[in-house]
Amino acid sequence: MRKILILAANPKNTNQLRLDEEVREIQEGLQRSRIRDQFEIVSRWAVRPDDLRRALLDHEPQIVHFSGHGAGAGGLALENSSGEAQLVSSAALARLFKLFQRNVECVLLNACYSEVQAEAIHQHIGYVIGMSEKIGDRAAIEFASGFYDGLGANRTYEDAFEFGLSAIDLEGIPETSIPQLKKPDSTDSAPKTPSIQPEPSPSAPDQPGNSNLSPIENARIFISYKRDATPDEQLALEICQHLNQRHQVFIDQSMPIGTYWAERIEEELRQSDFLITLLSEQSVGSEMVQGEIETAHRLSKEFKKPTILPIRVKYREPFAYPLSAYLDPINWAFWEQEEDTPGLLAELEQAIAGQDLSINSDTAKRSLLLPAVGAAAIPQPFPSAQFLELPEGTMELESKFYIERQLDRIALETIERQGVTVTIKGPRQMGKSSLLNRTMQAARKAGKQVVFLDFQLFERQALKDSELFFREFCTWLSDELDLDDQVDAYWQRKVGNAQRCTRYVSRHILKSVQAPIVLAMDEVESIFDTTFRSDFFSMLRSWHNNRAIQPLWKQLDLALVTSTEPYQLIADLNQSPFNVGQIIELCDFTPAEVHDLNERHGLPLNAAQEQKLLELVNGQPFLVRKALYLVASQQFTVADLFAKATDDRGPFGAHLRYHLFRMNNKPELVQGLMQVIRRPCQLDEHLFFRLRGAGLVQRQGQQVIPRCPLYAAYFQEHLHD
C-alpha cells in the first residue's frame, strides 16, 4: 500500500488558495488509476506544527505532500492556534524528516519559494520537490494532477515529476521552470518506483468505551454540541475555555459552511484524542451531533481514538437508537445546573488523565434515568396537541404522531404469516426504521422471536474480510437468541463462508429455537462496497427459496430495510432477496397526510401555510414533522420558518449541514448533485441511486431533479464542484 499524506495550510492572514480543488484533483486522478487499490490518501487541513509531527508518527507515509504558502528562507507557513501563519524553518523540517527517512520516499512541497526547504529535507529524503519562486494556483494544481497521474500509472518519481511539468505545459502555463526535483545521486540508486507495502491490520478494541484510558498531555479535544441551544452552547464554551489552558480544543463556532467545512470537521475528529459531546433534550435529536458521534465511534474502532466522553445536560431519558448503541456501553457525566460546572470540569480533566467518568456502572445509569422530581414538561401551546414529540430517529411504538400509510398495514399483515420475506425500501428519513419497529412488534404479538441486526454496527475490519463478517454475523445471531456460540466448530469445514453460515443457521439456530424467528436487518446497504455483498445476499435468497423444499426454513422470516435499489446490491436479480416476497416502497407524505399531521400538532399552520410547506419540502416526512414541531413548540414563528428555511442556523440548518458532512470526500456525489440542481438531466444509474438513497434527488420521467426546492436552494449556495 502506498500511503500519501496530504498536509494543507492556508492561514487566515495569507492569500486564499484553491487547496480543496488541488486535493480533489489528486484524489480523482488516483481513483482513475488501474492500481487505485494500492493507494491510500490521508489528508490533514489547517495544519499546525504539532499536527505535522503527529501525522507523520500516526500514518508513517511513503509520500508527503504539502499544499500552502512558503516564505523562502523564512520557512513554510503552517497555522498557529489562532489560525494565523506560523513559519517553520528549514532546519526544523530537516531535523523532523531525518526521523522518518526509513519510510518516507518522496516529499512534494507545493508552495511558493519552497526550494530552500526542499534542499534541507533532501539531506535525508531521496526525492524532494520544491518551488524555486512564486507559483500560481492553476500551475500548482496542474502540476499536482500530472504528478499523481504518473504515480497512478506506476511510473518512477522522476517520471511522475516530468508528467507534472507536462501537465503545466499542456495547459499553456509558462511556469514549467518553477518546480525543482531533488533526487539521489546517480551513484546512490536507479530511479525509484514507489514501494508497495502490505496494509496493516489494526486490532480494534471490543468497545469504544471511555474506561482504562492512558493519560494524555496536551490532548486534542473536539467539543460537539447543538448550536444556539440553551444551556448547551454556553456550557460548551466554558468547557472549551477551561480545557484550552492545557490542551488543544476544537469547537465549531464560526467556520463558514460548505464542502471545506465538512472536510475540516472530519479531519478534526480524526486527529482528536477525545470527543466531548453535550447531550440535552435539544441535542439528542440533532443530526449533526449524531453524525459526529457516529464518526467518532467508527474512528475509535479503527484507530482506538477519539475516546467519547458523553455529558448528559439535564437529560435523564434513555438514549434512543442509534445513540443508545454508541453511548449505552460507555460511561457518562451529568450536568444539571450552573453549580455543577466546576465539578464537571474537574471530572473531564480526570477523564483526560486516564480515569473514568462518574456514571460508570449499570446501577448508576439506572439511578440517573429515574424521572427527576418536578421535571418540567414540554410546553404545550396548542391545546389540541396532547403532547409534542421531537421529530428525530425511529419513532416510538406508542407515538401519536406516527402517520400510518396504506403500505404499513400490508407489512403488518404479512409478518403475521409463516415463512415470509418483507423488504422495506425508500430514501433516507422516509420512516423505514419506524415501520420495521412496528413490524417487529406485530411479529412478537404473533408469538415469534425477533432478532434485530443493524448493519451499521459491523466492525469496519469485518467489512473488509468475508470470513470475519460471516463469523460475526453468526455470533451476533447466537448472542441475540441467548444460544451457545458454536461458530468455531462450524468453521472447521472446508466449504465457503455462505455455506458455513447456512449450516450454522439451519443446524444450530433453527433446531435450537422452538418458536418461529424473524431476522430483521436494518441498513443492509452498509455492505454495499464490500467484495462479498453478492455472496451474502445470494445466501439470503437461498434461505427464502429453501422454504419450498425444507419445512425447517419456514421457521425463519426475513425483514430487510434498505435505501438502495436491489440491483445496486446484487448484480444477478435471480439471486437477490429484495425482489421476492412482499416489497414495501415508502413514498413522501400526501397532502392529506400532511394535513393529518398538522392537526395532530394542533394546527400550527393554516391551509395556505400548509400548502406552502408542502411545496417547499415536497412532503419529505422528516422535514414536514420538523417544521410542524418547531412552530407548534414556538421555537420558530411561521414567518421565520419560511424566511430562514435555508439558513445554517434556521429551522432545517442541522439537517442540511448533516448532508454536507456526509458528502465530505465524495466529490462524485457533489458533482452529480450540482449537475441536477443546475438543470434536470439524466445521471449515471449508480450515482442516481446513491443520491436517491441519501434522499437528495428523485426521478421525474427520464430526468433527475432535486428532491425538493429546499435542497436545491441550499446546496446551490454551499456546494462547490
Side-chain angles (χ1 to χ4, degrees), residues 113-240:
Y113 308 108
S114 57
E115 188 178 9
V116 180
Q117 289 76 48
E119 285 283 8
I121 295 171
H122 182 51
Q123 299 173 59
H124 311 294
I125 306 298
Y127 294 87
V128 187
I129 299 168
M131 304 299 158
S132 61
E133 54 185 278
K134 181 178 180 180
I135 186 167
D137 252 4
R138 190 178 168 204
I141 293 170
E142 290 299 331
F143 177 79
S145 177
F147 180 82
Y148 288 101
D149 282 350
L151 292 188
N154 208 25
R155 303 295 285 268
T156 66
Y157 289 121
E158 293 178 33
D159 284 350
F161 175 76
E162 292 298 327
F163 277 111
L165 299 182
S166 177
I168 298 176
D169 261 342
L170 290 172
E171 290 296 320
I173 305 171
E175 297 181 50
T176 52
S177 63
I178 295 176
Q180 299 293 315
L181 172 65
K182 315 299 176 183
K183 58 185 180 181
D185 295 336
S186 57
T187 56
D188 292 344
S189 64
K192 187 172 184 180
T193 300
S195 64
I196 302 174
Q197 298 183 357
E199 185 175 1
S201 300
S203 56
D206 292 334
Q207 295 288 346
N210 48 24
S211 58
N212 301 319
L213 304 178
S214 299
I216 298 179
E217 295 295 332
N218 193 28
R220 293 288 293 267
I221 299 168
F222 188 114
I223 297 179
S224 171
Y225 70 103
K226 181 174 172 58
R227 285 182 175 184
D228 299 325
T230 304
D232 306 45
E233 186 161 15
Q234 180 58 38
L235 180 58
L237 292 173
E238 290 183 44
I239 293 171
C240 176

Side-chain angles (χ1 to χ4, degrees), residues 61-64 100-107 125-128 157 192-197:
Q62 284 73 56
I63 302 166
V64 179
F100 297 94
Q101 57 186 326
R102 291 185 178 180
N103 55 287
V104 175
E105 299 172 353
C106 178
V107 177
I125 306 298
Y127 294 87
V128 187
Y157 289 121
K192 187 172 184 180
T193 300
S195 64
I196 302 174
Q197 298 183 357

Side-chain angles (χ1 to χ4, degrees), residues 323-347:
L323 283 184
S324 58
Y326 304 133
L327 303 180
D328 283 355
I330 63 178
N331 303 326
W332 315 327
F334 182 72
W335 182 98
E336 192 160 28
Q337 53 193 352
E338 273 298 324
E339 289 76 6
D340 298 336
T341 301
L344 174 64
L345 296 176
E347 186 175 347

Side-chain angles (χ1 to χ4, degrees), residues 418-447:
Q418 185 179 11
V420 296
T421 298
V422 178
T423 296
I424 302 172
K425 297 195 308 179
R428 184 174 178 270
Q429 294 183 320
M430 289 293 292
K432 301 186 301 297
S433 296
S434 296
L435 177 54
L436 178 64
N437 198 21
R438 283 157 175 74
T439 303
M440 291 190 295
Q441 182 193 39
R444 294 187 185 100
K445 288 181 178 180

